[in-house]
């Protein structure tokens, strides 16, 4: 079986990064995990500029979209493809759906063509998306509890108002409809439930998807 490329997506405070950490703890070297923006050393540098630096907050959406794809092309070339070539499945914490949800749906719908054009240049696209779906208000509450410090957790998207995050969620759902029509499935995990239930559900679904008992 060809190794899979699985993307985990979700809005602020959805808990997806925790779920991926738990999955990695449970599966170890059977999988490779990566995150976006970032993953490869060069893409991590772009991450710092694109989401950690306060200047990023006022950047035009074109700049942010291109930075996200710049980081993505590097992560694909240096982490994702090499791992898949070795036969190791890749689990990514965010990928192209994040750019659609944040930059296109929430920032500028005028960039939709540019998004699909850059997406078409990716050397690999996901086999499946897993959407960790939380109500945006609840998600923001969780994220704010976590990101008190500017140094540790700061991400300028957390500062945006609720409508931004509601548009992120709508963008995700629209994106998943579009890729479904292109043949890529999406599993939705309801993250409004208690964390223990979500964890269990996520681990079962991922093992099933990866074909690991
Ligand atoms: P991260 O610390 O990974 O946040 P989270 O724990 O919520 O996943 O920060 C990633 C941030 O970058 C997040 O706010 C979403 C944003 N982002 C985009 O706007 N576009 C993108 O293409 C990607 C990959 C992320």
């Amino acid at each position: 079986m060809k190794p899979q490329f699985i993307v985990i997506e979700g809005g602020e405070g959805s808990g997806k990064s925790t779920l991926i950490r738990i999955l990695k703890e449970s599966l170890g070297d059977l999988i490779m995990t990566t995150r976006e923006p970032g993953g490869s050393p060069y893409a991590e540098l772009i991450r710092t500029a694109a989401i950690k630096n306060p200047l990023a907050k006022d950047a035009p959406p074109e700049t942010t979209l291109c930075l996200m794809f710049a980081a993505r092309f590097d992560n694909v070339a240096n982490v994702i493809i090499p791992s898949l070539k070795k036969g190791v499945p890749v689990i990514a914490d965010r990928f192209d759906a994040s750019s659609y949800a944040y930059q296109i749906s929430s920032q500028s719908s005028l960039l939709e063509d540019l998004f699909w054009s850059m997406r078409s240049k990716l050397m690999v696209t996901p086999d499946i998306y897993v959407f960790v779906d939380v109500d945006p208000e609840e998600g923001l509450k969780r994220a704010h509890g976590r990101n008190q410090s500017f140094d540790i957790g700061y991400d300028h998207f957390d500062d945006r108002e609720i409508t931004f995050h509601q548009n992120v969620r709508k963008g995700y759902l629209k994106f998943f409809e579009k890729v479904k029509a292109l043949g890529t499935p999406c599993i939705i995990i309801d993250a409004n439930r208690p964390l223990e239930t979500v964890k269990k559900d996520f681990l079962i679904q991922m093992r099933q998807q990866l074909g690991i008992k």
Side-chain angles (χ1 to χ4, degrees):
M1 221 167 77
K2 121 180 175 348
Q4 296 180 78
F5 175 30
I6 304 177
V7 169
I8 318 298
E9 291 278 0
E12 307 302 316
S14 61
K16 66 184 166 39
S17 306
T18 307
L19 295 173
I20 295 170
R21 203 187 58 238
I22 294 166
L23 182 74
K24 179 70 183 163
E25 281 164 11
S26 136
L27 298 183
D29 292 341
L30 290 177
I31 56 169
M32 162 68 103
T33 52
T34 186
R35 68 167 179 184
E36 293 215 344
S40 62
Y42 191 31
E44 286 291 325
L45 280 179
I46 301 173
R47 175 187 178 89
T48 307
I51 68 171
K52 296 292 171 189
N53 194 300
L55 291 174
K57 190 169 183 185
D58 299 316
E62 288 84 349
T63 300
T64 312
L65 180 65
C66 290
L67 283 175
M68 296 297 173
F69 267 95
R72 184 161 301 130
F73 284 116
D74 197 73
N75 192 30
V76 166
N78 292 305
V79 174
I80 299 174
I81 289 184
S83 178
L84 295 174
K85 275 195 178 150
K86 275 190 256 161
V88 179
V90 176
I91 315 295
D93 183 344
R94 299 189 180 278
F95 197 66
D96 56 345
S98 284
S99 299
Y100 192 89
Y102 285 77
Q103 278 68 59
I104 311 305
S105 176
S106 242
Q107 291 193 275
S108 173
S109 57
L110 298 175
L111 301 179
E112 174 123 18
D113 289 352
L114 181 59
F115 170 86
W116 291 107
S117 155
M118 287 199 279
R119 186 183 196 263
S120 75
K121 303 288 181 210
L122 289 170
M123 303 253 289
V124 66
T125 50
D127 295 301
I128 187 164
Y129 294 90
V130 177
F131 180 41
V132 184
D133 187 19
V134 70
D135 170 58
E137 270 186 59
E138 174 60 26
L140 270 193
K141 265 193 238 150
R142 293 182 192 169
H144 284 152
R146 178 190 67 188
N147 292 350
Q148 288 306 331
S149 152
F150 202 77
D151 292 336
I152 302 169
Y154 181 72
D155 165 354
H156 64 87
F157 289 104
D158 291 350
D159 289 347
R160 312 244 177 180
E161 69 292 357
I162 184 70
T163 48
F164 180 92
H165 296 282
Q166 282 160 343
N167 285 331
V168 165
R169 182 169 182 275
K170 279 188 210 151
Y172 270 130
L173 296 174
K174 191 169 162 194
F175 177 84
F176 296 133
E177 279 306 309
K178 283 181 186 266
V179 290
K180 204 165 121 193
L182 300 172
T184 310
C186 170
I187 295 172
I188 297 183
I189 303 271
D190 176 4
N192 297 299
R193 297 170 298 169
L195 182 62
E196 279 311 309
T197 317
V198 178
K199 268 190 215 166
K200 242 192 197 160
D201 187 8
F202 178 76
L203 288 176
I204 291 171
Q205 301 255 20
M206 291 301 292
R207 281 178 172 270
Q208 222 168 44
Q209 188 57 40
L210 290 160
I212 297 172
K213 292 251 170 74

